[in-house]
Amino acid sequence: MQFMLLFSRQGKLRLQKWYVPLSDKEKKKITRELVQTVLARKPKMCSFLEWRDLKIVYKRYASLYFCCAIEDQDNELITLEIIHRYVELLDKYFGSVCELDIIFNFEKAYFILDEFLLGGEVQETSKKNVLKAIEQADLLQEKTETMYHSKSFIGYKKAY
Amino acid sequence: MVVPSLKLQDLIEEIRGARTQAQEREVIQKECAHIRASFRDGDPMLRHQQLAKLLYVHMLGYPAHFGQMECLKLIASSRFTDKRVGYLGAMLLLDERHDAHLLITNSIKNDLSQGIQPVQGLALCTLSTMGSAEMCRDLATEVEKLLLQPSPYVRKKAILTAVHMIRKVPELSNVFLPPCAKLLHERHHGILLGTVTLITELCERSPEALRHFRKVVPQLAQILQTLVTTGYSTEHSISGVNDPFLQVATNTDTSRNAGNAVLFETVLTIMDIRSTAGLRVLAVNILGRFLHNSDRNIRYVALTSLLRLVQSDHSAVQRHRPTVVECLQETDASLSRRALELSLALVNGSNVRAMMQELQAFLESCPPDLRADCASGILLAAERFAPTKRWHIDTILHVLTTAGTHVRDDAVANLTQLIGGAQELHAYSVRRLYNALAEDISQQPLVQVAAWCIGEYGDLLLEGNFEEIEPLQVEEEEVLALLEKVLQSHMSLPATRGYALTALMKLSTRLRGDNNRIRQVVSIYGSCLDMELQQRAVEYDTLFRKYDHMRAAILEKMPLVERGGPQVDEEAKERKEAAQLSEVAPAPTESQASQLLDLLDLLDGASGNAQHPPLLDPSPGGALVHLLDLPCAPPPPAPIPDLKVFEREGVQLNLSFIRSPENPALLLIIITATNSSESDVTHFICQAAVPKSLQLQLQAPSGNTVPARGGLPITQLFRILNPNKAPLRLKLRLTYNHFGQSVQEIFEVNNLPVESWQ
């Protein structure tokens, strides 16, 4: 995978994960153009399109578009599965995830993605393992926080 | 789970609350100033919160490069919270273009070796996302060590990091090749997946790796088998390595997308490896089944893959042709485009009529961006598979009327050539084109072709005896009116106008009425602002006024242009000849004496001849001396043998060639027409044409009559400039009267000696 973008129906970026080195300007340009192209698609159209020399796979979940750019030799149908799996993970973690969760907890969204994909490839196929890893990392974070008696407020804690 | 401090959430809420872009910018600027201040001298404990805020702002598109150093500091800190945010920041803000990124190499190294899994995980993740080539080289050994660690969590990450490293630094393949075999024995799916990816990457890079891994194919097959039989919802994408091991594919449940995904992957594999014919047919059938699937995505991938297969397994794909054609009706643009490409690829000799019907129907209704492709595709296919010329012409006509503005430029040339070649269809074509033109003069390619045809075959148009079409009588005046309409219309391009004007001119010889109307139009355009039109009009006008006797000959029907052969530009030839004639000065009387004298004449820099500047050095003395000064001069080239090119009933035509060593680009051809028959040859005219890259100049002949029984022959000089030493081709056209009949001969001269142009 070359990159993954999450954006709302108004075109606001909610998450961007780049697996290829590009300058900031290029990233912005690509994001802008791709968002426009995907938003212009009608609802019944198929999830794949060709854009520049990449294959784009996108899927809409509620108000969020999940959009991945894959290389020529990658399997599009599997990419759809990847997107779906990521949504499932988010759902499990946040409990019935909605766009607001991703807005207010964007770093968590990144952490979860980083446990699922690495360097553009799938690293863990078991949902359980991914969530367990996140849980462990979160615990570790909590431990270090309390150890240093920092003034961090503990916000809402959702069970998973 | 610790959620970032309320401050970040507050910030987000505030930003979202901003009602205008300006307000949002204000809020963010204020906050960034605060962040900057706290980076400088704020509480180190809270630094991670500040960075988190900065990252949010960055995602909205605002500059955040001042946070780069903070990332470094946070990564170097020993607190996990700091590291988490720090590494995230590094992945978002740093990239290999900034030198700063190298500074985290050391931190990564430390983190990789200190044994706390989540930290190692973070480090590996960052390395695999934004690691540059230098970083990879530095950290290769660390990653290699981690490959063999007991914890699967770290190992799987290490493997994928290795994949990234190999992509960046291919030489590292050697480092990561040995552990692979062992890793395949693992049970953990994450590790297996990573290993397979690694192996794939290694194999793509080097053929030796490929050979090395052939041994593990049975193992891979086994893994696949266990996966399928235990019913695990597969996420594996496994690419085979040269061995058919895919019989298991047939048992996969296709009701869920995951199943389809696996099936698709196997199809891809079959396509990539050199599989047996049976498997390939299986692949095509699977794809055919996909085409019927209600899920649009599946249909799309099926069409794409069939396109790839159509070259090699044409007959298998043909079986699914009807379904593919149905897909043309899709409303989804990506699908219909794929369907179009595939349909075009499937056209062959036997199904061309049916396919063309479908495609033409599609052309009428398809979205504009597909039109050009569709039109050119149809034209190409028609060219390759047309069963009859008439069908071909019909098809092209239909394309021109439906999508005229989208066809390629050479379509016009192709069509005129085609029509010209189909003699029996001249009447039919001109009739149909006339009708089409009468309805609509806006589609330029159509208008151009129609104008040309009407000009060429106008007489056939007026004869009015066609079998199939309604015998509508067309009046001369109507034809002229139509052409004038084209000339005057705003929609006509200059090129189109040129066609129309020339057509009008040609009609002056084809039609029986008087030519006043045409003459009028021609003289009006003599003062047209467009250079090209003006020139034409002036020339045609001159034709009417001064050279009326030649008009018929010049405007005769064109000989067939060979496509791909010498590009004889008929229009240019006509005009060139007309231009020559209109400028003809008193022709120098060529002496009937020997060729040597002719040569001397030329060396004298004979100037009477024309528009082209004298080609030879105009210093007669020097040139003569040169020729006579034999010992010092280079030996004259061996004379090129004469060539007899034509013989009919005692009339013969001979070509002699002369080339000068000083001017190798110049070739002189003297044609000599002799008559050994019992009857005189009168009104003899010889015209010539050469390929475009050569220049031809005809000088006036010595006369028009060759008396009978070996009377004085006619000679005429051609001058040909051939600076590029292009192969010489020559086409001649003779007209004369002999034995009371008029004779016309057009032929290409064969067996031209090589020395004439090399």
Side-chain angles (χ1 to χ4, degrees), chain A residues 1 12-24 26-28 41-50 55 59 71-78 80-82 85 93 99-100 102-108 110-111 114-127 129-130 133-145 148 150-160, chain B residues 1-6 8-9 12-13 16 24 45-46 48-49 52-53 55-56 58-62 78-81 84-85 88 91-92 95-97 116-119 121-122 124-125 128-129 153 156-158 160-161 163-164 167-168 188-191 193-194 197 204 232-237 256-258 260-262 264-265 268 290 296-298 300-301 304 308 331-335 338:
Chain A
M1 193 184 299
K12 291 215 128 131
L13 201 59
R14 298 298 176 206
L15 188 145
Q16 51 173 336
K17 188 78 189 179
W18 297 83
Y19 293 108
V20 285
L22 289 168
S23 75
D24 241 2
E26 281 165 349
K27 285 185 195 167
K28 284 217 180 112
R41 302 270 287 179
K42 297 200 219 68
K44 291 290 185 177
M45 289 178 133
C46 78
S47 293
F48 314 120
L49 62 107
E50 277 169 28
K55 296 202 276 197
K59 199 148 182 215
E71 278 127 7
D72 244 1
Q73 65 269 30
D74 289 334
N75 181 341
E76 292 99 324
L77 297 177
I78 278 285
L80 273 180
E81 287 297 311
I82 292 177
R85 175 51 70 87
Y93 183 77
E99 193 186 340
L100 281 179
I102 302 191
I103 295 175
F104 281 95
N105 299 287
F106 67 94
E107 341 83 79
K108 299 291 183 197
Y110 275 108
F111 297 149
D114 286 336
E115 290 296 330
F116 176 45
L117 301 177
L118 197 74
E121 310 286 336
V122 177
Q123 62 170 296
E124 183 57 68
T125 51
S126 150
K127 270 196 285 201
N129 287 348
V130 174
I134 297 279
E135 191 189 321
Q136 281 186 343
D138 285 342
L139 273 175
L140 186 55
Q141 182 165 354
E142 227 181 271
K143 243 195 322 194
T144 54
E145 297 272 310
Y148 286 93
S150 66
K151 285 199 180 137
S152 60
F153 292 89
I154 300 182
Y156 58 101
K157 186 174 181 171
K158 291 213 178 162
Y160 59 92
Chain B
M1 266 184 309
V2 177
V3 151
S5 79
L6 226 45
L8 170 61
Q9 306 239 314
I12 297 179
E13 290 220 29
R16 286 169 62 78
E24 181 182 294
M45 299 297 171
L46 300 175
H48 66 98
Q49 291 175 14
K53 283 190 280 186
L55 291 177
Y56 183 78
H58 170 75
M59 184 147 62
L60 291 177
Y62 295 89
S78 50
R79 288 174 57 200
F80 184 67
T81 325
R84 235 182 170 187
V85 183
L88 180 62
M91 284 192 274
L92 287 176
D95 69 58
E96 38 186 64
R97 289 141 208 272
I116 302 182
Q117 287 186 23
V119 174
L122 283 177
L124 285 170
C125 178
S128 66
T129 309
Y153 175 79
K156 73 180 186 208
K157 289 190 194 264
L160 285 177
T161 313
V163 172
H164 174 86
R167 286 188 184 144
K168 283 287 183 189
H188 190 271
H189 284 269
I191 295 186
L193 185 54
T197 317
E204 276 175 22
Y232 186 89
S233 166
T234 59
E235 295 285 341
H236 282 244
S237 318
R256 295 176 54 238
N257 188 47
N260 281 334
V262 174
F264 182 57
E265 184 64 28
L268 283 179
F290 275 2
R296 211 166 265 110
N297 297 332
I298 311 271
Y300 179 83
V301 301
T304 315
R308 282 168 63 183
T331 44
D332 181 346
S334 346
L335 275 175
R338 279 272 170 271

